[in-house]
Amino acid sequence: MLHALLFLGCVISIEIFLNLNFLNHLNKIISIARKALLVISNKEISDHRKEKVIPTYALQLMKYSLTVLLILLMIIAVFLGISLFESNFIVYIFSLIGILESIVFALLYLKIRSFLFKWIITLGC
């Protein structure tokens, strides 16, 4: 039962991760942080201009950071929700076997998902 629940948790987590564009949000955080650092370190930009631009970058960073945090909390909530059905689930997913098994399940699901999308696209054309 633990294996099936772990597979279900991995599938739901991957779908949350992919459908909510987790990596895109991280890339935006990095991009905005770089822009802010360039503005701060540039001596040719006036302090007045910096005072107007930096709060905008800060708000954007906060927005994307909160989005990343919410996505991670949703993934944690999935596993905590599953642990309500199986008391040993949390202990199992943090064991070496559970971690290795979740990696295998995630990679297996990503391969199956990729194959299914390619198959569906070829049927649709």
Side-chain angles (χ1 to χ4, degrees):
M1 185 66 164
L2 285 173
H3 309 292
L5 290 174
L6 181 59
F7 184 75
L8 178 67
C10 287
V11 168
I12 294 170
S13 296
I14 288 170
E15 288 300 325
I16 290 171
F17 187 84
L18 294 175
N19 288 321
L20 296 179
N21 297 321
F22 183 82
L23 293 177
N24 187 31
H25 293 297
L26 283 181
N27 287 334
K28 287 181 181 179
I29 290 171
I30 292 168
S31 173
I32 294 167
R34 283 184 182 155
K35 288 178 187 178
L37 287 173
L38 286 174
V39 168
I40 291 169
S41 65
N42 192 338
K43 302 279 186 203
E44 295 177 9
I45 299 175
S46 69
D47 286 344
H48 178 71
R49 179 76 178 140
K50 288 179 183 178
E51 287 175 0
K52 290 190 177 267
V53 172
I54 294 301
T56 304
Y57 287 149
L59 284 174
Q60 290 175 352
L61 280 172
M62 188 184 320
K63 173 187 162 190
Y64 291 116
S65 297
L66 286 174
T67 304
V68 165
L69 177 65
L70 288 174
I71 292 169
L72 292 174
L73 289 175
M74 287 173 66
I75 292 171
I76 291 170
V78 166
F79 287 101
L80 288 177
I82 291 173
S83 72
L84 296 175
F85 297 108
E86 184 68 45
S87 60
N88 295 329
F89 185 71
I90 295 294
V91 174
Y92 180 70
I93 62 172
F94 286 113
S95 70
L96 180 62
I97 295 172
I99 292 169
L100 293 175
E101 191 174 343
S102 65
I103 291 170
V104 169
F105 283 160
L107 292 174
L108 181 67
Y109 177 71
L110 286 171
K111 280 289 189 188
I112 292 169
R113 185 180 192 274
S114 172
F115 173 76
L116 286 176
F117 277 120
K118 287 179 186 176
W119 184 65
I120 290 170
I121 289 172
T122 57
L123 286 178
C125 291

